[in-house]
Amino acid sequence: MPRRSAAEARDTRARILDRAVVIAARDGLEGVTIGRLADDLEMSKAGVYGHFGSKEALQLATFDAAVEQFRQLVPARVPRTATGIERLRHLCDAWIDYLEHGGIAEGGCFLTAAATEFDGRPGPVRDAVAQAAGRWLAYLEHLAAAAVETGDLPPDTDPAQIAFELNGIAMSANQAIQLQRDDAAPQRARRAMHRAAGGR
Amino acid sequence: MPRRSAAEARDTRARILDRAVVIAARDGLEGVTIGRLADDLEMSKAGVYGHFGSKEALQLATFDAAVEQFRQLVPARVPRTATGIERLRHLCDAWIDYLEHGGIAEGGCFLTAAATEFDGRPGPVRDAVAQAAGRWLAYLEHLAAAAVETGDLPPDTDPAQIAFELNGIAMSANQAIQLQRDDAAPQRARRAMHRAAGGR
């Protein structure tokens, strides 16, 4: 009986977070409230509250869940066998696919939205967003540095500059797709990323 | 007496909007409410309401005021005598200066924040944000096309691609400055913009 309860609690928590990610993708993390989730899921407020304990804990868990979705949709799709510049290009292609298909829950790039929402509000949510953005830039930089090591990119390449530029191209594509509904954006992003990543 | 009242009304409206832009730069346009402005400015809610008539009209006026501040800080600083690629580079330098100094009211790039806040919410505010972003891209594209006409950029240049990439570099710089407090971001952005604009 206790074992079954723990499994049920995990399922309920996951169901709350699935819904929270959908709300946050549309209305931002500030739109995720215990009251709104309780209404949407036909649960009591106390029932939702019990899984998180505070609005801030709920926002942090929602952000983590969205980051995990992004991880499955983008870096997890890069073939394990790819190395050097091919690895970086596979990542760019998966990233553009993700943006082209609307990002998380069709709400666009979650990290970009959370960054502009929380960059001016000190606290644990801002810290979590800044850490996730920093990890992502470090990962891009690592892939660019690996392409220098294999000799695919020239030795004087600045991997951090490549990470900075790729991140910007993705944000431009995200805005063009989400705000302008610009069908040409994925192709523009592909061209720009392959150039920024040292393409031919 | 009526003339003096009209001037006073304009001043009060301007004072409300100055405060609204500061709030929006930090907490987003959704943070701009008639009640909050009335508290901050020690006015009655009816006093604030009378100048706008609805929360939506207040958000639209706040957005317009922020766009006008951006216009004064960035395009208005490009020397009238500059032509071709020099004009585009002066614009990029003014744009990076603006981001380096914290954007609007030190809240970062207002347009990027409003775009991620409203891209998923149909209505007049979303339409205004999309139009402003479209005008900005068209302006960048126009400057790039002018640099093709003067022969500063090759005839096969795609001005819309340059506009797309410059916009992304600015967003990456905005995130690096606002979220990561990265002092290297302005220099990275300068390098990337001069390259994207056909620099040496």
Side-chain angles (χ1 to χ4, degrees):
Chain A
M1 182 66 178
R3 189 166 290 181
R4 190 176 168 194
S5 290
E8 279 176 354
R10 268 201 308 277
D11 287 351
T12 305
R13 192 175 191 278
R15 198 162 68 90
I16 295 170
L17 286 177
D18 279 350
R19 183 68 207 157
V21 167
V22 171
I23 293 171
R26 185 176 171 277
D27 292 340
L29 278 169
E30 280 297 327
V32 176
T33 62
I34 286 167
R36 184 158 170 199
L37 281 167
D39 280 353
D40 281 11
L41 298 170
E42 298 182 348
M43 291 173 64
S44 67
K45 279 194 189 187
V48 176
Y49 189 85
H51 287 275
F52 301 97
S54 71
K55 182 177 174 183
E56 191 174 272
L58 171 62
Q59 288 180 333
L60 286 167
T62 303
F63 182 72
D64 285 348
V67 168
E68 178 55 25
Q69 286 190 24
F70 176 81
R71 210 185 62 74
Q72 292 296 333
L73 288 167
V74 184
R77 285 183 52 210
V78 176
R80 282 168 191 271
T81 50
T83 56
I85 194 77
E86 288 308 321
R87 193 163 179 79
L88 190 53
R89 287 189 184 153
H90 275 295
L91 183 82
C92 291
D93 290 340
W95 198 1
I96 295 166
D97 274 358
Y98 155 85
L99 295 169
E100 190 169 10
H101 292 98
I104 301 282
E106 298 185 0
C109 179
F110 199 90
L111 190 57
T112 299
T116 60
E117 188 180 3
F118 279 89
D119 58 13
R121 305 185 198 188
V125 179
R126 184 195 191 286
D127 294 347
V129 174
Q131 277 162 23
R135 281 199 307 272
W136 181 242
L137 285 169
Y139 174 66
L140 295 171
E141 196 176 328
H142 163 75
L143 292 192
V148 174
E149 275 188 29
T150 57
D152 289 332
L153 290 177
D156 66 346
T157 301
D158 177 357
Q161 181 77 19
I162 291 182
F164 176 89
E165 295 188 18
L166 292 177
N167 208 34
I169 294 159
M171 282 191 254
S172 191
N174 181 56
Q175 186 178 95
I177 292 166
Q178 290 290 324
L179 188 66
Q180 316 282 7
R181 313 271 182 232
D182 176 3
D183 293 338
Q187 188 49 34
R188 285 203 189 293
R190 222 162 268 127
R191 198 182 310 158
M193 279 197 180
H194 282 225
R195 192 178 75 144
R200 285 142 291 185
Chain B
M1 183 65 179
R3 188 166 294 180
R4 189 176 169 196
S5 289
E8 280 177 353
R10 268 201 308 278
D11 286 352
T12 305
R13 191 177 191 278
R15 199 163 66 90
I16 295 170
L17 286 178
D18 279 350
R19 183 69 207 155
V21 167
V22 171
I23 294 172
R26 186 178 172 277
D27 291 341
L29 278 169
E30 280 297 327
V32 176
T33 62
I34 286 167
R36 183 159 171 197
L37 281 167
D39 279 352
D40 281 10
L41 298 169
E42 297 183 350
M43 291 174 66
S44 67
K45 278 195 189 188
V48 177
Y49 190 85
H51 286 275
F52 300 96
S54 71
K55 181 177 176 183
E56 189 174 274
L58 171 61
Q59 287 180 332
L60 286 168
T62 303
F63 183 72
D64 285 348
V67 168
E68 177 55 25
Q69 286 191 24
F70 177 81
R71 209 184 63 74
Q72 293 296 332
L73 288 168
V74 184
R77 285 183 53 210
V78 176
R80 283 168 191 271
T81 50
T83 57
I85 194 76
E86 287 307 320
R87 194 164 178 78
L88 191 53
R89 287 190 187 155
H90 275 295
L91 183 82
C92 290
D93 290 339
W95 197 0
I96 294 167
D97 274 359
Y98 154 85
L99 295 170
E100 190 169 9
H101 291 98
I104 301 283
E106 299 185 357
C109 180
F110 199 89
L111 190 57
T112 299
T116 59
E117 188 180 2
F118 278 90
D119 58 13
R121 305 185 201 188
V125 179
R126 185 195 191 283
D127 294 347
V129 174
Q131 277 162 24
R135 282 199 307 274
W136 181 243
L137 285 169
Y139 174 66
L140 294 172
E141 193 175 331
H142 163 76
L143 293 192
V148 174
E149 274 187 29
T150 57
D152 289 332
L153 290 178
D156 65 347
T157 301
D158 177 356
Q161 181 77 18
I162 291 182
F164 175 88
E165 295 187 19
L166 291 177
N167 208 35
I169 294 159
M171 283 192 256
S172 191
N174 181 56
Q175 185 178 95
I177 292 166
Q178 291 291 323
L179 188 66
Q180 315 281 8
R181 313 272 182 231
D182 176 4
D183 293 338
Q187 188 49 34
R188 286 204 188 290
R190 221 163 269 127
R191 198 183 310 159
M193 279 196 181
H194 283 224
R195 190 178 77 146
R200 285 143 293 186

